[in-house]
Amino acid sequence: MAAKIINGNEIAAEIREELKKEVALMKEKHGVVPGLVTILVGKNPASVSYVTGKQKTAHELGFYSMQDDQPEDIPEAALLALVDKYNKDPKIHGILVQLPLPKHINEKRVLNAIDPDKDVDCFHPVNIGRLVIGGSEARFLPCTPAGIQELIVRSGVPTSGADVVVVGRSNIVGKPIAIIMMQKGKGANSTVTVVHTGSRNMEAHCRRADILIVAAGVPGLVKPDWIKPGACVIDVGVNRVGEKKSEKTGRMVPILKGDVDFDAAKEIAGAITPVPGGVGPMTITMLMKNTVLSAKSSIK
Ligand code: GUN
């Protein structure tokens, strides 16, 4: 039987509706409006498109949101001073510095300068530490992993005691999703294995997975015979494999391919995310969720 297709666009829209209501209520009851600033250095086209999407969503949800564009040659000290300005601004609850930054800037230094309580990307070591400890210590969840967990839970896939196999050990997806899924609690409590480029027999591990999360950045890496029949497959890969003319705009747009051979895998899996339209739409939505959470905790 063909797999259920997990529709990230629909689930993200559902969460945004919930957030919109929460924002309106917060405004009405407490006079607090979630504030998000996105800082963009330079004009990298992909980054421009990402921050535009983040700003658009923030506006739609009723946030106080602003885009702060800085020139490519901004000195690191000036960028650090800007971050500090927003750290001190009570109207701002979330600060996002769009990556990558130009080579002359130490990315780690800039990210670590963000107040952990406004770090809605959840890149700061303090927030990663809180995430690892878990329970009431955890504050923000990193956006893509949080989106993955929402997709799994809202698709009705059981997680407690499930064998979860994560392919990839990046700091922004592989490591944090492994931590999230192993924590005690709802939507988690799984037995987690992480496989990576140093793993022996990656396929054998994948074949055991009730939930297979693939974030390797290798187009079509996971073959259909790596998938246990009925498994839930979450494909985080967004690989540009070429370009095509958009039917809507006539402009050239990238052709995206996931890390999983989708057409074949959907005949074996029980549920699967497509690329695009699976994990992708969730990331921005979870950034909004973190900003709402941050605003909520500012209420005395
Ligand atoms: N660049 C690409 N993805 C991201 C993201 O999730 N956060 C930030 N800050 N920069 C990015």
Side-chain angles (χ1 to χ4, degrees):
M1 204 173 78
K4 164 187 170 164
I5 308 300
I6 300 176
N7 188 328
N9 285 313
E10 266 176 31
I11 295 175
E14 186 180 300
I15 298 172
R16 285 199 300 272
E17 275 314 303
E18 293 166 10
L19 290 174
K20 215 171 179 172
K21 287 185 190 135
E22 214 172 322
V23 171
L25 202 68
M26 206 189 295
K27 209 185 254 184
E28 188 190 308
K29 269 183 127 177
H30 304 281
V32 173
V33 179
L36 174 69
V37 62
T38 50
I39 301 173
L40 175 64
V41 178
K43 290 192 165 60
N44 175 314
S47 295
V48 170
S49 153
Y50 285 137
V51 290
T52 306
K54 289 166 188 172
Q55 282 298 325
K56 186 170 166 272
T57 310
H59 280 293
E60 281 166 8
L61 297 187
F63 284 19
Y64 165 69
S65 73
M66 52 186 296
Q67 165 70 24
D68 193 330
D69 290 319
Q70 295 294 327
E72 179 85 23
D73 61 354
I74 184 175
E76 185 182 293
L79 185 57
L80 289 170
L82 191 67
V83 167
D84 193 48
K85 182 183 93 170
Y86 291 119
N87 279 342
K88 291 178 176 139
D89 185 341
K91 292 197 298 301
I92 296 295
H93 304 99
I95 302 170
L96 180 137
V97 178
Q98 186 65 28
L99 303 178
L101 289 170
K103 288 206 167 47
H104 69 279
I105 294 176
N106 183 327
E107 214 161 80
K108 214 191 260 181
R109 202 173 290 148
V110 173
L111 295 180
N112 291 1
I114 297 173
D115 178 346
D117 288 343
K118 297 190 178 189
D119 168 40
V120 284
D121 251 335
C122 195
F123 286 169
H124 197 290
V126 165
N127 283 323
I128 295 299
R130 287 173 174 166
L131 176 73
V132 173
I133 295 168
S136 61
E137 194 67 40
R139 191 178 174 81
F140 302 119
L141 295 184
C143 303
T144 300
I148 294 170
Q149 189 186 31
E150 286 281 357
L151 288 176
I152 295 169
V153 170
R154 289 183 188 240
S155 303
V157 175
T159 59
S160 188
D163 280 316
V164 170
V165 175
V166 178
V167 183
R169 55 178 158 185
S170 71
N171 286 332
I172 58 168
V173 183
K175 283 182 198 164
I177 191 61
I179 298 291
I180 289 169
M181 296 309 292
M182 65 164 265
Q183 299 290 19
K184 207 167 191 171
K186 223 172 127 243
N189 209 27
S190 309
T191 305
V192 180
T193 305
V194 180
V195 295
H196 44 73
T197 48
S199 297
R200 252 186 285 130
N201 210 348
M202 190 183 278
E203 303 93 290
H205 288 289
C206 292
R207 280 187 202 112
R208 284 193 296 105
D210 300 310
I211 301 172
L212 180 61
I213 301 170
V214 192
V218 181
L221 171 74
V222 172
K223 308 288 179 275
D225 64 335
W226 294 24
I227 297 168
K228 177 164 142 178
C232 169
V233 179
I234 306 289
D235 190 352
V236 192
V238 190
N239 306 290
R240 289 171 185 235
V241 293
E243 281 195 327
K244 62 176 180 193
K245 204 169 184 179
S246 158
E247 282 175 19
K248 255 200 224 158
T249 63
R251 269 188 264 154
M252 293 306 282
V253 291
I255 301 169
L256 302 177
K257 194 169 183 316
D259 289 351
V260 177
D261 178 354
F262 178 81
D263 288 333
K266 76 178 192 318
E267 301 304 323
I268 295 164
I272 188 167
T273 58
V275 176
V279 176
M282 295 297 288
T283 301
I284 292 184
T285 300
M286 301 321 286
L287 176 76
M288 302 301 140
K289 190 170 176 179
N290 279 344
T291 309
V292 169
L293 176 70
S294 178
K296 223 191 253 176
S297 18
S298 77
I299 298 168
K300 301 283 181 305

